Amino acid sequence: MGPHPAVAAIRLAVRRVLHDILNEQTSRVPYAVHAPAAAHAPYAAPGAPLAPAPQPAAPPAGQPPLGVPTPSRTRRAAVADPSAPLVLVACSGGADSMALASALAFEAPRLGVRAGGVTVDHGLQAGSDQRAEEVAQRLRELGLDPVEAVAVRVGREGGPEAAARDARYAALDAVAERHGAAAILLGHTRDDQAETVLLGLARGSGIRSLSGMAAVSGAGGRYRRPFLHIDRQTARKACMVQALPVWDDPHNTDPAYTRSRLRHEGLPALEKALGKGVVEALARTAQLSRDDADALDAWAGQAEAAVRDDAGRLECAKLYALPPAVRRRILRRAAIEAGAPAGSLFARHIEEMDRLITGWRGQGAINLPGKVVVQRQGGRLVIRQG
């Protein structure tokens, strides 16, 4: 008898991502990864259907059921070739990331991949350091190695949620560099994606914000999100049937946080007004928007060189001739290159820059975040640190 459907779903999602990582590794490095015999079947192309992984035989009487990891069994399975790629899971101890950790612990040894974990202590709640150590111990009991609990200091820039996110990703980047990890898996689900799309819509930040979170992001594709097509309840069910302990962060239900209000008030209200399927529709919108945004970004990248003069300055007449969506992407990129923080650069800033081209009436310079100044001089757009 196979694993519970929820467990099978999370394992398949992780298996697909591990196959993608192995394909990328083998295309860069001219040597074969030493994997168990079950892993020697040809790797599927990214996104292609995969055959189910071989399931272990039913356990003898008195042993835990299939799909429930035990410390002794998984720790032995985790021993891998030290030259094999290392994949880490970022785990808060919540249902989504614990389900992800369990799936990685199960699938990685079968594909000859080393699996580790990291949990980040943001220091925002009493006892957070002890809780981080408890999560790290759970990851070790799943058989993950190396495992780290990393404490960070959360600043204030951009608000509490953005500051915590920035500190977390900086810590994850540092751990990945220290261990030479090929990738870090993140437990964002389809529900998280729907929330992200709605937050982007509320900000009015354009199609890129509506595209939500990418399945692959970060420098060199470091971050992978296997669960973007899996709902939150499936991940929680997978934890329940595997008897995995789960920690529910009280911040996730605190109405002081925008995402929490959206999760517990906004989305339920939308589903009540529009019917079920809102989350799935928003997730589809994210993918369609991402495809469009990627195409426009590529167009802007190709057009940028043609609108600069010999000194590298942007020529207003040539920018004016471009479609607005392409032109504004070039302006945004130029502002970021000049020192404007991407996270603080909003649609209204780009619109003000755009008016220097499309609605020129001799207006003065524009001040952007990061002390960046934009002004029009002699038919050129000058963007510099003020």
Side-chain angles (χ1 to χ4, degrees), residues 83-345:
S83 66
L86 170 66
V87 175
L88 302 173
V89 58
C91 185
S92 67
D96 303 339
S97 57
M98 281 302 300
L100 183 58
S102 72
L104 177 63
F106 183 87
E107 293 292 340
R110 288 158 175 76
L111 294 175
V113 174
R114 293 184 296 136
V118 57
T119 185
V120 178
D121 171 20
H122 298 85
L124 298 176
Q125 302 172 32
S128 62
D129 55 342
Q130 180 180 349
R131 193 154 40 247
E133 287 299 334
E134 290 172 355
V135 173
Q137 182 57 30
R138 291 172 192 169
L139 297 180
R140 295 185 187 102
E141 290 171 357
L142 286 172
L144 302 183
D145 182 35
V147 170
E148 284 196 33
V150 182
V152 299
R153 180 180 177 277
V154 177
R156 296 182 177 181
E157 186 175 352
E161 293 168 279
R165 182 175 59 249
D166 291 344
R168 180 168 60 253
Y169 277 101
L172 294 176
D173 283 334
V175 172
E177 293 290 342
R178 187 159 58 248
H179 291 286
I184 299 178
L185 306 188
L186 304 176
H188 297 120
T189 64
R190 185 172 63 190
D191 301 76
D192 296 310
Q193 184 74 300
E195 293 161 9
T196 302
V197 172
L198 282 177
L199 288 171
L201 182 63
R203 286 194 299 265
S205 300
I207 195 171
R208 178 55 72 186
S209 288
L210 295 182
S211 65
M213 295 174 286
V216 179
S217 65
R222 168 173 290 162
Y223 294 105
R224 310 295 174 110
R225 297 177 174 85
F227 288 177
L228 287 183
H229 298 290
I230 292 177
D231 64 83
R232 192 173 287 144
Q233 285 305 312
T234 296
R236 185 169 287 276
K237 184 70 173 179
C239 289
M240 186 180 71
V241 299
Q242 294 179 100
L244 292 173
V246 168
W247 174 65
D248 290 315
D249 186 347
H251 281 173
N252 290 336
T253 56
D254 187 344
Y257 295 94
T258 304
R259 187 177 285 269
S260 175
R261 294 195 301 273
L262 180 61
R263 178 175 302 175
H264 298 287
E265 299 173 25
L267 270 172
L270 279 176
E271 291 205 329
K272 182 178 180 180
L274 303 176
K276 294 293 184 181
V278 169
V279 168
E280 293 86 341
L282 288 169
R284 285 196 303 273
T285 296
Q287 185 56 59
L288 294 170
S289 298
R290 180 164 298 279
D291 292 343
D292 291 348
D294 287 346
L296 288 168
D297 284 347
W299 186 353
Q302 295 168 359
E304 185 171 358
V307 299
R308 290 187 181 273
D309 62 15
D310 293 339
R313 295 172 300 182
L314 292 169
E315 297 189 59
C316 295
K318 292 180 178 178
L319 283 168
Y320 185 86
L322 291 173
V326 177
R327 180 174 62 244
R328 289 173 181 170
R329 278 168 166 75
I330 294 174
L331 295 177
R332 177 179 174 81
R333 186 177 306 174
I336 293 171
E337 288 175 356
S344 302
L345 202 59

